[in-house]
Amino acid sequence: MTTVGIIGGSGLTNLKNLKITRREVVRTPYGEPSAPMVYGQLGGREVVFLPRHGPGHTIPPHEVNYRANIWALKETGVTRVIAVNAVGGISRDYLKPGTLVFPDQIIDYTYGRAHTFFGSELKQVTHIDFSYPYCEELRRMLVEAARQAKLEAAESGTYAATQGPRFESAAEIARIERDGGDVVGMTGMPEAGLAKELELCYASVAVVVNPAAGKVKKEVSLKEIEKNLETGMATVRVLLEQAIPMVVKSEG
Ligand code: HPA
């Protein structure tokens, strides 16, 4: 049985080390997910892969159908989801491109996104606890896999989710830093909240691809980001190869 879902972000629209067995179009009450689900073997175990921005990287962060994606993954029967997110580094230790960060907290600065399954269609107002947004057990396994594979990684950090698609101003990053944000990306929310609503065990691998705005003297360079995405996602593939067997085994 497939137990692990992987949501690929920018730079990871396909998993080169995934031996694809089949694709499946999943329909949801919330519309279409970003792409058909891709089933295959990774690290010798079955996983299901979904590229968040679509197969051709055409869906911008604020237009991703996060509800359809999370619903569709739940439909496939996966219980654990590893999300890959490209980020800018804010706090000093996380500035180096290529560093992996396994966030343990979130601050949500996004707006206007369909962000809940628990709207007015429910008979009763429903809240969920979000004190600890990520699945600690899965997060720990990712940290351990990074250690085993000797990858440069930070064990925790606060992920700040911004609206995009533009990058932030230097003042916005200074504010996020004062708020306690360590890394900044555009896709971490509402994805993590939706996963929690559906009781999926969800954790993120954030890959630093640039110093956030104002953190170094020059402007954010898209060319540099592209280069760093390529090497960063190669690192993510190594991480996943190491992590997947551990995650599947822990499921029993
Ligand atoms: N800001 C927001 N999202 C990002 C960044 C950034 O600097 N880098 C990669 N995704």
Side-chain angles (χ1 to χ4, degrees), residues 73-92:
L73 276 167
K74 179 88 179 181
E75 280 278 301
T76 68
V78 301
T79 51
R80 298 177 174 207
V81 176
I82 300 171
V84 182
N85 304 87
V87 293
I90 299 177
S91 53
R92 190 150 25 111

Side-chain angles (χ1 to χ4, degrees), residues 14-36:
N14 63 61
L15 271 174
K16 287 195 191 103
N17 48 351
L18 179 69
K19 287 195 191 75
I20 298 172
T21 49
R22 68 190 168 97
R23 285 187 167 81
E24 184 188 14
V25 175
V26 180
R27 308 213 177 277
T28 84
Y30 304 94
E32 289 206 8
S34 299

Side-chain angles (χ1 to χ4, degrees), residues 86-89 162 166-168 173 184-186 209-213 220 225:
V87 293
T162 56
R166 66 167 177 83
F167 290 104
E168 300 71 34
I173 291 298
V184 59
M186 302 173 189
V209 293
N210 60 288
V220 173
I225 289 181

Side-chain angles (χ1 to χ4, degrees), residues 113-235:
R113 302 181 179 190
H115 68 286
T116 181
F117 295 114
F118 299 163
S120 52
E121 65 276 18
L122 290 194
K123 284 194 193 75
Q124 236 193 340
V125 174
T126 309
H127 301 287
I128 57 156
D129 168 56
F130 202 52
S131 310
Y132 302 99
Y134 298 103
C135 176
E136 186 59 17
E137 196 192 350
L138 182 55
R139 230 180 56 72
R140 281 278 136 222
M141 283 188 261
L142 295 174
V143 168
E144 176 58 19
R147 197 191 58 78
Q148 285 176 7
K150 299 190 167 49
L151 303 173
E152 190 125 3
E155 290 196 9
S156 61
T158 296
Y159 178 106
T162 56
Q163 178 71 353
R166 66 167 177 83
F167 290 104
E168 300 71 34
S169 69
E172 284 170 336
I173 291 298
R175 172 195 168 204
I176 291 171
E177 187 164 23
R178 286 194 299 276
D179 286 352
D182 295 305
V183 293
V184 59
M186 302 173 189
T187 52
M189 285 297 283
E191 198 173 89
L194 292 165
K196 193 97 169 170
E197 284 186 353
L198 293 193
E199 298 180 343
L200 285 164
C201 171
Y202 172 99
S204 156
V205 184
V207 189
V208 177
V209 293
N210 60 288
K215 297 309 293 181
V216 289
K217 287 219 166 60
K218 52 190 174 94
E219 294 172 2
V220 173
S221 154
L222 297 185
K223 220 169 150 186
E224 219 174 283
I225 289 181
E226 223 151 275
K227 194 182 89 212
N228 292 334
L229 266 175
E230 203 163 307
T231 47
M233 291 311 154
T235 309

Side-chain angles (χ1 to χ4, degrees), residues 23-26 33-39 48-51 55:
R23 285 187 167 81
E24 184 188 14
V25 175
V26 180
S34 299
M37 300 288 149
V38 183
Y39 288 83
V48 54
F49 177 74
L50 174 64

